[in-house]
Amino acid sequence: MRFDQIVRGRSADFLSPKASRPIPHACGIVRDALVQATLDPEILEIDFIGTAGTEARPIDIQVITFRTIAGWRYLDIEVARPLRSLGDADAFDRELRARGLAPYTLKGADILKEPRFSTARAIWTYRRFSVAPDMRHRLLVALAEDGPTSLHHLCSSVPGPLDPFASVLSLACRNEVEIDISTPLSPSTTVSSRS
């Protein structure tokens, strides 16, 4: 089965505060790449290109794109590359080059690398946690005043009534705070304001 058939047939759309619209994806490792991209401060925007070309000669692209500090790139996961004929591969390459898109290549091992993989998944479980406006304001003010701090210090300085731990993780999922996913999630995990 081709990647684009998986995207159209079995996937759920991925919602990210870094994307202006839902991103179709193929579940599994692609979803994990999108979760990590949402939490990664180096990735500023996420988008998707379905088809390109002309109405008479459409080109099936089906790629997720990331805007990084260096510009736009397309997500190229080695284990999830679609099978394309030589003609389709040439048209695909030409279209992406014409758009100035270089690959953002990841191996499966890059996405599954610990502790980043588990930390991102643990944080993402809080994406639906509802943070009261007052709690959100107090957490953001504390980060603005104190600068980057440990998760423990931030949660201690802004007590409830809502769970400050869940609130911080939810704000990270909403792209309102940065949280270090390169280390295991713990009281010493660094949290900082979005610049």
Side-chain angles (χ1 to χ4, degrees):
M1 181 176 281
R2 289 179 28 193
F3 176 78
D4 56 340
Q5 292 170 326
I6 294 170
V7 168
R8 288 190 204 112
R10 297 186 324 180
S11 71
D13 290 340
F14 183 83
L15 303 174
S16 169
K18 293 184 178 182
S20 61
R21 58 188 169 152
I23 305 297
H25 69 94
C27 303
I29 202 160
V30 177
R31 181 182 183 278
D32 282 304
L34 287 167
V35 167
Q36 291 173 26
T38 297
L39 298 172
D40 187 339
E42 300 288 317
I43 295 177
L44 308 173
E45 277 181 76
I46 303 171
D47 204 354
F48 183 81
I49 302 171
T51 57
T54 64
E55 197 172 306
R57 294 190 78 172
I59 301 168
D60 196 24
I61 302 293
Q62 304 295 323
V63 295
I64 296 164
T65 57
F66 293 157
R67 183 170 68 87
T68 66
I69 295 165
W72 282 96
R73 299 174 72 190
Y74 72 92
L75 179 61
D76 174 35
I77 301 175
E78 289 183 353
V79 296
R81 285 181 184 147
L83 296 175
R84 292 187 168 94
S85 69
L86 289 176
D88 287 347
D90 286 344
F92 175 84
D93 290 339
R94 271 195 314 276
E95 184 62 34
L96 294 180
R97 275 196 311 274
R99 292 171 180 254
L101 292 172
Y104 186 94
T105 303
L106 294 173
K107 296 179 180 174
D110 297 330
I111 298 165
L112 299 174
K113 186 176 181 182
E114 292 294 355
R116 183 180 171 92
F117 175 76
S118 296
T119 299
R121 276 193 163 187
I123 293 167
W124 198 246
T125 62
Y126 290 88
R127 69 190 176 280
R128 293 189 181 98
F129 182 82
S130 181
V131 182
D134 177 58
M135 175 62 94
R136 175 186 173 275
H137 175 74
R138 289 187 295 137
L139 287 166
L140 295 178
V141 166
L143 278 175
E145 290 175 355
D146 296 343
T149 187
S150 72
L151 185 56
H152 173 74
H153 182 267
L154 180 59
C155 290
S156 299
S157 64
V158 183
L162 282 179
D163 180 0
F165 175 80
S167 297
V168 171
L169 299 189
S170 179
L171 291 176
C173 294
R174 295 176 194 183
N175 198 34
E176 295 191 52
V177 301
E178 290 179 12
I179 192 160
D180 183 8
I181 62 172
S182 67
T183 61
L185 187 61
S186 71
S188 62
T189 297
T190 302
V191 184
S192 54
S193 294
R194 281 276 179 211
S195 337

